[in-house]
Amino acid sequence: MSENPLVSIVMGSDSDLEIMNEAAKALEDFGIPYEIDVTSAHRSPARTGEFARNAASRGIRVIIAGAGGAAHLAGVIAAETTLPVIGVPIPSTPLNGMDSLLAIVQMPAGIPVATTAIGKAGATNAGILAAQIIGLSNAGVAAKLQQLKAKLAQSVEEKSQKLQQLRKRS
Ligand code: RP5
């Protein structure tokens, strides 16, 4: 947690934390200060509305919202702020996140939510996407994003070489 967070990570329940921690880890890799908390669209609508209305004036630049099931958290927050909102579908019900995905992605025209993949990969990408938004006006973060691209490309080179060596031996 940081004193002047630029990104706010919120989730519908503490049971979402294991997945949403992946967004936090990504932000830490970019050195971006963030806050993380629980607030629920259904169980604490007043708290959620207050959070959404106050986020921009507290200096928050991007909101990442993870929720499962009838996942309305990201959409309800997007309804109350002009900050970019990224939604992460959590696979917390017998429908394995398909319910959360559809609930988050199918926003009506006028209230956008950038929706990621279901689960940990989606939470990681939410952190990276938030960094890309911050990186538009932060050269240090933009440089780290370039380094990530180079690292990913290098990892594919290594996998390719390993595969070719295995094929030669067999
Ligand atoms: C959603 O309901 C939460 O985001 C969570 O994914 C799911 C289950 O919450 P708990 O019953 O574990 O608190 O609102």
Side-chain angles (χ1 to χ4, degrees), residues 107-151:
M107 289 299 291
I111 314 291
V113 169
T115 309
T116 67
I118 297 167
K120 286 189 175 180
T124 297
N125 281 346
I128 296 171
L129 183 54
Q132 289 175 327
I133 295 168
I134 303 284
L136 291 172
S137 56
N138 181 318
V141 171
K144 284 186 180 147
L145 284 160
Q146 289 295 348
Q147 286 165 14
L148 175 63
K149 290 279 187 221
K151 193 173 143 195

Side-chain angles (χ1 to χ4, degrees), residues 11-16 40 42-43 66-69 90 92:
M11 65 206 85
S13 173
D14 58 355
S15 59
D16 302 326
S40 167
H42 302 128
R43 292 169 174 159
I90 306 284
S92 57

Side-chain angles (χ1 to χ4, degrees), residues 42-68:
H42 302 128
R43 292 169 174 159
S44 66
R47 175 184 166 82
T48 297
E50 201 182 328
F51 160 79
R53 285 188 293 276
N54 293 336
S57 63
R58 289 194 298 109
I60 299 296
R61 305 284 303 278
V62 185
I63 295 172
I64 298 173

